[in-house]
Amino acid sequence: MSGTPRLRSAYPSTPRSGQTNNEQHGPATDVSLPRVPLPMQAKLEQDTQAPIIPFGLVDAPSQRLYVASFYLGLVVWRLCDYYGLVSNETDSFQLFMKWVVIDGVVLYGLPGLRIPWLQWSSTTMTMLFALHAILDYVLMFRVPIPLEAWLIAFTRLLYDRELAVSERRVKPASVLHNSSLILGKQIIHILPEGSAMLNPNQTAYCIDAFTTSVNLPIRINQTNPVLIELQRIDLDTNSNETLTIHARELQRLKKQAEKQLFNRASTEPFSLQYQVKQTGLYRLQRVVDESQLEVQRRLSDTLVVHCPSAHVSVVPETKCVGDLSNFYLQVDATPPIHIKYSKLVNTEESGHAVLTIPPRSPISPLARQKTSGALISKDSVVDADVSWARSQSTRISVNESLGTSGSWQYLIDEVQDGCGNIMDYASHRLVNQRRRHGSIELPLEQRFSVHRRPKAALRSCDSQHALQVPKGKPVKLPLQVTSTGTDSADQCAHQLSYRFTPALDLLPNQEHAGDATLAEFKFEPHAIDYEIREPGLYTLQSIESAFCVGEILEPSSCLLSNPPEPELSLATQNIPDRCAGNSIGLLVDLDWTGTPPFRLSYIIRRRGGPVTPKVLDSDLLHTQLELRPMHSGYYTYEFLDISDAVYREPRSLRSQNLILEQDVKPPASARFLDAYPTRKTCIGVPVALGVQLSGEAPWRLDYELVHHGRRQKHKIEGIESNIYTLTTDELEDGGEYSLALSAVTDRSGCKVSLELETKIEVALQRPKASFGLVEGHRSIHALEGKRVRLPLRLQGEPPWTVRYWNIDGVEGSITESVFMKSNDEIEVSEAGIYELIQVNDGTCPGNVEAASNKFKVEWIARPMVHVSESATIEHLLGKYVKKEVCEGDEDAVEVSFTGTPPFDLEYQHLVKPERGSHSSSTRTFSAGINLASIRMESVEAGVHQYKVSKLSDLSYNYNARKFSPVTIEQRVHARPSAAFMEGGKTYKYCKEEDAGGENVPITLKGLPPFHLEVEVRHHASPKPELVTIPNIEGHRYSLHISHRLLSLGTHAVLIRKVRDAHGCQRQMDQEAPRVQVNVAEVPSISALEARTDYCIGDRISYMLSGLPPFNVFYTFHGQERKAFAPTTNFRRLAEKPGEFTITAVTDQRSVDCKAHTHITKVIHEMPSVRVSKGRTATVDIHEGGEAEILFEFGGTPPFEFTSNPPKGKRPHVLDTKSDISHEYTKTVLASDEGIYEVVAIKDRFCSFSTQKVYGKSGQKLLT
């Protein structure tokens, strides 16, 4: 066998372990032949193809076995990881990546071992790796796979059988989908008629430097042309020429069209793309087909014009606010032309504009928006005038005001000609295309840089207010520069010009002279430092910036003047004493020269005393200065310097030697030291007033004290000190006193009258203090610890100082407070009786009224909870014990509260069950009155403890230090229970038996004796029977049901109620396990559907009652048959027509007793239809002709059939339509092209449909 030739694709032969390497890799030759040594290259190839593990060490089958065992080990490991993933919730992603890496290493490393039969191609390895990766994903991420559903579906796909009425298994699909019921179809063809049309979609075409040619589409329909003639009219000369497309070129154009529509049907229209390179009006003149006949042409003229274009005639970019844009748009296109441009102001879009240019020729069809059909006369094109289609060059002026400063930009967006050609300049594609062609790009935008106009005016100087400057001093020109629309100016160089006339050359009306000087200077708006010095009239003439001429605003003129320097002249006279004749001062007359206000600095020097500097300000040109010292002595007055409003630097007067000297002896005088016009004091208290005297000691002082019209004169002599304290007698009457100094006399004996007076207000009575009323009482109830304000009533003059104490508080603790209002409040925070002790106002001590000097403060009681003892509750060992109840009983405990309702209560509910761990919960509720009920929980048996832990009311929040918890305890007994020991079991009872039967065991829980109530319910009777069993002493009971309570059928026995010795009762759940008692004789059968007529393919179903399995006896086609039914459902597939009658039925418990019945069902055959004798017929007709279609029916009339839309070649669809026939044949006439066939048929009993959806074009229904 070693010499047997092998295919290249076959597996290599398995080498034997006894062969050498040369035998394994060399050609299959006879062993007796001499061995020829291989070349060196062949030996290298053999070494390269040799396995990693030599076959002499491990043969090939063993190596494959080891690889397979290793792979099975990996599979087992993989399944173990999957099991651990399911049970331990391990990270799926790590396991997935682990197995992907392991599979990749194993699969891609396996060919490296070079084991025969395991050296697969890279494509195979990649597919295996992908399958392993999918398997890893499914396992490690636990992707559910419906294997059972797939298995069932696969089984049904291979073996789908169902029992039929003939008791044999058939495929339902072969019965339900009988294709022989609808046979035949008829095909109608309408002979085609050809046509041709130029540019059917009425596309606009244009030619320019970039688009040098266009393809005009010629649509060909239902014909094969061999000659096409096009007529072209030149737009510039109106000359016409004929363009002929011959058969060879047409063949080339048709091949191009077929390449674009490679799957085109032979009858579908197609378009020939004919290339033209000249502008003009094109018309399809003649089309000839293969039969040398002219094909029908649809008249349609096509214009090929020059592509529209536009550009901007650029003007200078610098503008000023208020200038006009004043530039042009140059447009070249076939009218009517629509050009659209946009405007951007400061990079923000400011709107679009669309301009329309009408055609110059009134005969242009484009002006009537006609771009399709015949654009010129249909008869002849010889004398046709197409000048209206020529490109028109138009210049459009764009002239609008530039009202905002900044960057303005006008952009041409698009231009459209009358044919509909659009040149979109806004697209970047066109810009790139122009650059790509290297053409000279015309400007498409106009930019402007709009600058603000400067404005100039003078400030703080106008024709009515001159600018006054000291002689020889320069001053900055008071210039204010702004710009249009803002208070600031552009930061660029400005130039200003002005006229100047010296003050001596001004005209009498203060206007410029004829020889006024014109000057100009440049400046920056942020640093205007131009100085003027010469007096005269300055008038602004013009201002301009680097870009714009500005405007001069008012005020624009300013008069610069140099007023005279300030001067002072003075005259003096003595001020004599009228009594003694001595000089008591100087009266100086000051005459000013200059610009007021004036300021004069001088000093007063007293011999032997300090130097006092003085400053005098005057707004007048003449001022009188009175120098009258208060003390006697030799005085020197020296005037130092002077300044005015213009010459602000003081000008020295020392050169004028303005010094005055005088020996002054002032007259006697007196004044009060205190500046208060009114003084207050208490009644019955003297008043002391300080008086300052001037003159020569000793003095005598006269004063008067006036009260209620009574005047008392007093005299004080021998006063040696110039400061004297005047003390009055005790003022016994309240009210206002006036104390006036009437005269003073010094050592010279001259008496000087005085007019000094002060007021003294004496309180009419002493201050008083008392407590006010709160709601008619001097007592208040407040929250404990809250600060309480006690009303205080005060009489007298504020402020009042009140001392009070708490009688019930700390002994000797007296509080002193100051109050400013007569109706004030004392704030306290402790309960007790507060007593006023003493009161003083701002002037006098007062009295406390004994009748209202006390105020009582009481705390509102804190909330408390109380439980009243009764027959059901008693207090034991510090807690309240409630009477025992049963589990689930409703119970509550009444509690009462003291405090201010509503009350908020929180209590803890602790449950100590009979079995299990303790549990607790916290609950809250609110009570609107002083009584409330706490609901006692009885859901769980055990000891329930309720501890009221928190209580608050309207006045107080919960305070743990002020509240004592209350505990209530109650025991809840578990309710008894009863259950069937074998719940769900069915017990058999015979109807014929007089006594006996099985006992039903019941187990009970609780404290015996028990009282049991059992319910026996028949499935057909709504009223159950009740059985009462008292005094059951044990926990087990055997229930025997009396036969008088049973009837034929199934009974449900359930426990209704149970009660134990505690008096606790349980109403058993209706869903609790129950037992069945079956009393039966014979089974029965009934049809699930009331109808008697069925069709082939329908399923006839019955319901059986009894104990499965069943035997069903029936007749079909006159034959008696027997069927086996394992469940209570019996169903058969209607396979053949005929009568199907059920005659009897038996079940497992009544095998020997049949239940006879007679249920008959009639199975009808399916309707059928044949079109054209059941064959496919083809009929050709002309347009407008008709063809007959014959329909033959089988079944029971009347017949109703539905035809689908005919499947034809024309792309149109008619509506589906149904038709009725009362006979077994029907003929219908049809005139539309297509395939006619029936999709559904229905007779009197049955219907059939192919359930096929048709949607192809060209289908029609029967008419």
Side-chain angles (χ1 to χ4, degrees), residues 1202-1219:
T1202 302
S1203 299
N1204 69 315
K1207 296 177 288 184
K1209 297 181 180 180
R1210 295 186 180 181
H1212 56 273
V1213 179
L1214 298 181
D1215 296 333
T1216 303
K1217 184 178 179 182
S1218 299
D1219 205 348

Side-chain angles (χ1 to χ4, degrees), residues 1120-1154:
E1120 294 186 357
R1121 303 175 185 269
K1122 177 182 177 182
F1124 176 75
T1127 64
T1128 57
N1129 292 324
F1130 177 68
R1131 187 178 71 174
R1132 289 295 182 266
L1133 179 67
E1135 173 194 9
K1136 300 177 181 179
E1139 286 191 0
F1140 181 79
T1141 304
I1142 302 293
T1143 58
V1145 62
T1146 62
D1147 65 353
Q1148 183 179 5
R1149 66 191 173 198
S1150 58
V1151 178
D1152 299 331
C1153 181
K1154 288 184 179 181

Side-chain angles (χ1 to χ4, degrees), residues 863-867 893-898 902-909 922-935 946-954 956 958 963-966 968:
M864 298 291 291
V865 60
H866 308 280
V867 179
V893 62
E894 297 288 340
V895 295
S896 60
F897 304 100
T898 58
F903 301 91
D904 292 326
L905 181 141
E906 178 180 306
Y907 64 92
Q908 294 177 349
H909 178 205
T922 301
R923 302 183 184 181
T924 60
F925 72 89
S926 297
I929 59 176
N930 293 77
L931 292 176
S933 296
I934 298 179
R935 182 175 176 271
Y946 306 85
K947 182 180 181 181
V948 180
S949 56
K950 293 182 181 181
L951 178 64
S952 61
D953 63 356
L954 182 63
Y956 293 96
Y958 167 72
F963 179 72
S964 299
V966 176
I968 305 170

Side-chain angles (χ1 to χ4, degrees), residues 1169-1222:
V1169 60
R1170 285 173 171 76
V1171 183
S1172 301
K1173 301 296 182 179
R1175 302 186 302 273
T1176 300
T1178 302
V1179 179
D1180 295 332
I1181 62 173
H1182 293 282
E1183 187 74 33
E1186 293 181 336
E1188 291 186 352
I1189 303 176
L1190 176 63
F1191 297 91
E1192 297 175 313
F1193 306 101
T1196 306
F1199 301 96
E1200 180 179 354
F1201 62 96
T1202 302
S1203 299
N1204 69 315
K1207 296 177 288 184
K1209 297 181 180 180
R1210 295 186 180 181
H1212 56 273
V1213 179
L1214 298 181
D1215 296 333
T1216 303
K1217 184 178 179 182
S1218 299
D1219 205 348
I1220 297 176
S1221 175
H1222 295 276

Side-chain angles (χ1 to χ4, degrees), residues 1024-1198:
E1025 297 286 345
L1026 297 180
V1027 179
T1028 302
I1029 308 167
N1031 299 325
I1032 302 175
E1033 296 294 339
H1035 289 86
R1036 290 177 179 269
Y1037 181 73
S1038 296
L1039 174 64
H1040 179 76
I1041 303 175
S1042 176
H1043 280 76
R1044 65 180 180 81
L1045 303 175
L1046 302 176
S1047 60
L1048 185 63
T1050 302
H1051 300 73
V1053 180
L1054 61 154
I1055 300 172
R1056 188 171 184 177
K1057 190 185 301 181
V1058 61
R1059 186 173 67 247
D1060 65 354
H1062 286 301
C1064 297
Q1065 177 177 291
R1066 182 186 294 275
Q1067 189 79 22
M1068 303 303 294
D1069 189 4
Q1070 296 294 322
E1071 302 298 328
R1074 60 186 67 184
V1075 296
Q1076 304 286 337
V1077 175
N1078 190 12
V1079 180
E1081 289 183 342
V1082 291
S1084 62
I1085 185 170
S1086 59
L1088 290 180
E1089 297 177 301
R1091 61 177 178 145
T1092 58
D1093 295 307
Y1094 288 81
C1095 300
I1096 293 177
D1098 290 346
R1099 291 169 176 82
I1100 308 174
S1101 301
Y1102 298 89
M1103 175 63 71
L1104 297 165
S1105 64
L1107 187 63
F1110 300 90
N1111 291 320
V1112 180
F1113 300 88
Y1114 67 92
T1115 59
F1116 183 68
H1117 281 183
Q1119 296 182 0
E1120 294 186 357
R1121 303 175 185 269
K1122 177 182 177 182
F1124 176 75
T1127 64
T1128 57
N1129 292 324
F1130 177 68
R1131 187 178 71 174
R1132 289 295 182 266
L1133 179 67
E1135 173 194 9
K1136 300 177 181 179
E1139 286 191 0
F1140 181 79
T1141 304
I1142 302 293
T1143 58
V1145 62
T1146 62
D1147 65 353
Q1148 183 179 5
R1149 66 191 173 198
S1150 58
V1151 178
D1152 299 331
C1153 181
K1154 288 184 179 181
H1156 293 279
T1157 184
H1158 188 81
I1159 303 175
T1160 301
K1161 305 292 182 181
V1162 179
I1163 303 173
H1164 299 275
E1165 65 176 348
M1166 296 295 291
S1168 62
V1169 60
R1170 285 173 171 76
V1171 183
S1172 301
K1173 301 296 182 179
R1175 302 186 302 273
T1176 300
T1178 302
V1179 179
D1180 295 332
I1181 62 173
H1182 293 282
E1183 187 74 33
E1186 293 181 336
E1188 291 186 352
I1189 303 176
L1190 176 63
F1191 297 91
E1192 297 175 313
F1193 306 101
T1196 306

Side-chain angles (χ1 to χ4, degrees), residues 167 181 360 434 720 847 858 1030 1200 1213:
E167 288 303 316
L181 296 178
R360 297 171 183 172
R434 291 191 173 197
E720 297 295 335
N847 302 320
E858 295 179 318
E1200 180 179 354
V1213 179

